[in-house]
Amino acid sequence: MPTDEPDLKELMVAGLDGDAAAHRALLERLSLRLRGYYKGHLTRAGRSATEAEDLVQEALLAIHIHRHTYQRSEPLTPWIYAIARYKLIDHLRHTRTTFADLPIEDAIEIMAHDDHIVAESAYDLDRLLGLLPDKMREPIRCVKIDGLSVAEAANRCGMSQSAIKVNVHRGLKSLAAVITRGKKS
């Protein structure tokens, strides 16, 4: 389903300006999107799709409570889906499902991939990677995004293979810490 960013953003801005009907309409439209988002990700994580309803309510509540933090100059859907991802990760963590139990490809997919908003996810990913120093960002981009082998990434980045492995590991650990800190804010 394609995103309708302009319509959603218009409702969000109207809601921020005090239009209660627009805010209600926004939350109703988001509930449909979030329900599909959570069902898909929970199923891929080997979980029951019935858990989605609680997550939808938690995400909508967080969106409502934190709506004042939305920057009007930024796209809305990456902001919405960032909240949704944090809620999903938090839910999986609290229900004793960890990313250590999943193959790394599945964990990355749950954290950063959404079929409905590929462009917005890329925007989020670029913003997150921008927080890292080049020595971590480039190896992660080469190995995890571009799909290069460690040897190919070492050649491209001008580093040893062990430096690539260390920087990918440390970079991913740093990103996980950023996401965790953002959740607690």
Side-chain angles (χ1 to χ4, degrees):
M1 173 181 2
T3 63
D4 50 349
E5 170 73 24
D7 295 336
L8 293 174
K9 187 170 182 172
E10 183 179 320
L11 289 171
M12 178 66 156
V13 170
L16 289 172
D17 290 338
D19 184 341
H23 185 64
R24 254 189 323 276
L26 173 71
L27 295 178
E28 287 171 9
R29 289 186 56 195
L30 290 178
S31 70
L32 296 173
R33 291 177 174 281
L34 292 171
R35 195 168 288 110
Y37 172 84
Y38 286 129
K39 283 182 179 180
H41 284 298
L42 288 167
T43 301
R44 283 194 295 271
R47 303 296 294 268
S48 168
T50 59
E51 297 173 62
E53 200 55 43
D54 288 339
L55 283 168
V56 168
Q57 296 308 315
E58 286 183 34
L60 290 175
L61 182 61
I63 290 163
H64 174 74
I65 291 171
H66 299 288
R67 67 189 181 276
H68 68 280
T69 66
Y70 170 67
Q71 299 294 317
R72 294 171 189 236
S73 61
E74 297 290 326
L76 176 65
T77 50
W79 184 81
I80 297 292
Y81 281 99
I83 291 171
R85 278 193 300 276
Y86 297 146
K87 290 297 178 186
L88 176 63
I89 292 166
D90 194 44
H91 174 74
L92 293 174
R93 184 177 297 126
H94 284 99
T95 57
R96 302 204 186 274
T97 297
T98 66
F99 291 120
D101 298 334
L102 298 172
I104 188 69
E105 296 81 15
D106 292 342
I108 289 170
E109 182 174 324
I110 287 170
M111 291 190 318
H113 178 73
D114 189 295
D115 295 332
H116 303 296
I117 58 160
V118 172
E120 289 90 350
S121 292
Y123 175 80
D124 282 348
L125 183 60
D126 285 342
R127 277 190 17 201
L128 277 173
L129 287 175
L131 300 173
L132 296 175
D134 285 338
K135 72 178 187 175
M136 291 178 187
R137 178 177 47 247
E138 291 310 312
I140 289 173
R141 189 173 298 283
C142 289
V143 174
K144 298 298 183 186
I145 297 171
D146 297 341
L148 299 179
S149 69
V150 171
E152 292 168 328
N155 286 335
R156 183 185 286 181
C157 296
M159 297 178 181
S160 69
Q161 290 184 28
S162 61
I164 293 292
K165 291 177 186 177
V166 166
N167 284 317
V168 167
H169 174 76
R170 288 180 180 165
L172 292 175
K173 190 173 179 180
S174 293
L175 290 176
V178 167
I179 290 168
T180 301
R181 278 193 308 270
K183 234 183 18 176
K184 293 178 182 176
S185 300

